[in-house]
Amino acid sequence: MDYQIKSVKFLKSEVDYKKCPADRLPEVAFIGRSNVGKSSLINMLANHKDLAKTSSKPGKTQTINHYEVDKRWYLVDLPGYGYASISKSMREKWEKMIDNYLRYRKNLQSVFVLVDIRLEPQELDINFINKLGEMGMPFSLVFTKADKIGKNKGAVSVRNFCRKLMETWEDLPPFFVCSSVDGRGKQELLDYIDQINEYYYNQKKQEKE
Ligand code: GDP
C-alpha cells in the first residue's frame, strides 16, 4: 500500500516486440486514443515532468516505449490510436505492431486502456477493449481528465461506459478515475500496479519451490 515510484529509467523505443528489452521483469502497458492524456498520466505516476513526451505528433514513427521502474518492473508507453490524419498504411502498421506485442510479449501482465471521461463510449475504444477480451489479456480502464467534469457527471459517464461493455461482456474490468491535474486516482493506480507485481514475484517464487 502507498506505493510510490522512486526511480525511472528510459530504456528503449522499438517497433518490433522481439527487440524490446529482455522480458526478465513484469510489465504493464498504457494505451488509448491520441490526446487522451496518456503522457500526462505516465508523468504523474512517475513524478516526472516530461518523461513521456506530451502530445507526440501524429505521423511520427510510432513506437513501443519501455521504462524500467524501481529495478522491479517495466512501464510501457504504447502509441495511441485514432489519429484523424493517419494514413491507412500507418494504421495497419500500428495494428500489426500492437497485435504482435499483445499476443507474444510474455512478461506483459496487464494493459491500462485510457478513456476520456467526458466522452460517450467511443467505438474505437470499445473495439480495442473487445480485442483484448478476445485475446484473454487482463486489462483495466483508466478514465482520464476527471477534473474537467463534475463528480456526478463523471459517475454517469463511467456508468454509461460500463453499460456499453456489459452488452458484450459478463464481467467488468477494474477501473480508475484519474486526473493528472489534481492527482486523483494516482495512488489507487500505483497500488494496483504494485499488487500486480507482487503477484508476479510470488508466482515466480512458488515456481522455484
Ligand atoms: P496523450 O496524447 O494521450 O499523451 O495526451 P497528453 O498527456 O499529451 O494530453 C493531451 C492534452 O490534455 C494536453 O493538453 C494535456 O495538458 C491535457 N490533459 C492531460 N491530462 C489531463 C487531465 O487530467 N486534466 C486536464 N484538465 N487536462 C489534461
Side-chain angles (χ1 to χ4, degrees):
M1 287 302 258
D2 291 342
Y3 171 58
Q4 285 291 318
I5 290 177
K6 291 184 194 71
S7 71
V8 188
K9 192 168 93 184
F10 169 73
L11 293 183
K12 220 173 176 210
S13 292
E14 262 306 331
V15 289
D16 182 353
Y17 80 93
K18 288 186 200 133
K19 293 184 188 156
C20 286
D23 54 12
R24 61 188 178 84
L25 299 180
E27 73 190 32
V28 297
F30 292 82
I31 196 163
R33 288 164 68 95
S34 58
N35 221 36
V36 70
K38 179 165 55 77
S39 310
S40 306
L41 185 92
I42 291 173
N43 288 330
M44 169 178 78
L45 293 177
N47 305 312
H48 243 269
K49 264 207 171 117
D50 52 5
L51 188 68
K53 291 171 209 82
T54 29
S55 299
S56 48
K57 295 261 179 312
K60 257 184 31 181
T61 312
Q62 296 191 299
T63 52
I64 301 167
N65 306 302
H66 270 79
Y67 297 87
E68 186 185 287
V69 185
D70 293 338
K71 297 196 164 78
R72 180 173 158 86
W73 58 285
Y74 294 137
L75 185 160
V76 184
D77 180 9
L78 294 175
Y81 49 89
Y83 286 111
S85 59
I86 206 164
S87 66
K88 187 163 175 255
S89 74
M90 269 192 83
R91 184 153 48 232
E92 282 168 358
K93 260 191 198 154
W94 178 91
E95 261 169 30
K96 187 120 202 77
M97 170 171 76
I98 297 296
D99 205 71
N100 281 333
Y101 167 78
L102 294 172
R103 279 182 205 281
Y104 303 121
R105 183 73 176 161
K106 284 206 198 86
N107 56 333
L108 176 61
Q109 306 300 305
S110 197
V111 176
F112 292 97
V113 181
L114 276 57
V115 176
D116 189 323
I117 198 166
R118 297 168 300 170
L119 303 180
E120 291 285 304
Q122 304 283 304
E123 204 181 333
L124 266 178
D125 294 324
I126 301 290
N127 288 347
F128 184 74
I129 287 167
N130 286 345
K131 196 163 92 173
L132 289 174
E134 281 157 18
M135 283 178 178
M137 170 57 65
F139 69 94
S140 330
L141 298 175
V142 177
F143 293 96
T144 62
K145 308 190 186 182
D147 60 284
K148 287 206 175 196
I149 189 173
K151 262 219 166 89
N152 292 340
K153 268 195 171 171
V156 169
S157 199
V158 169
R159 208 174 318 132
N160 282 345
F161 202 93
C162 289
R163 272 210 194 108
K164 185 83 195 166
L165 289 184
M166 300 276 275
E167 288 174 11
T168 323
W169 302 99
E170 258 174 48
D171 300 317
L172 286 174
F175 66 82
F176 302 87
V177 175
C178 294
S179 161
S180 318
V181 168
D182 65 19
R184 207 176 313 179
K186 175 182 178 185
Q187 193 60 57
E188 287 88 341
L189 205 47
L190 284 171
D191 287 338
Y192 184 69
I193 294 171
D194 197 39
Q195 264 180 36
I196 291 173
N197 292 329
E198 278 289 307
Y199 180 79
Y200 172 90
Y201 284 109
N202 279 336
Q203 292 287 105
K204 280 263 155 188
K205 215 164 92 189
Q206 277 176 21
E207 278 167 23
K208 272 194 195 149
E209 281 167 10

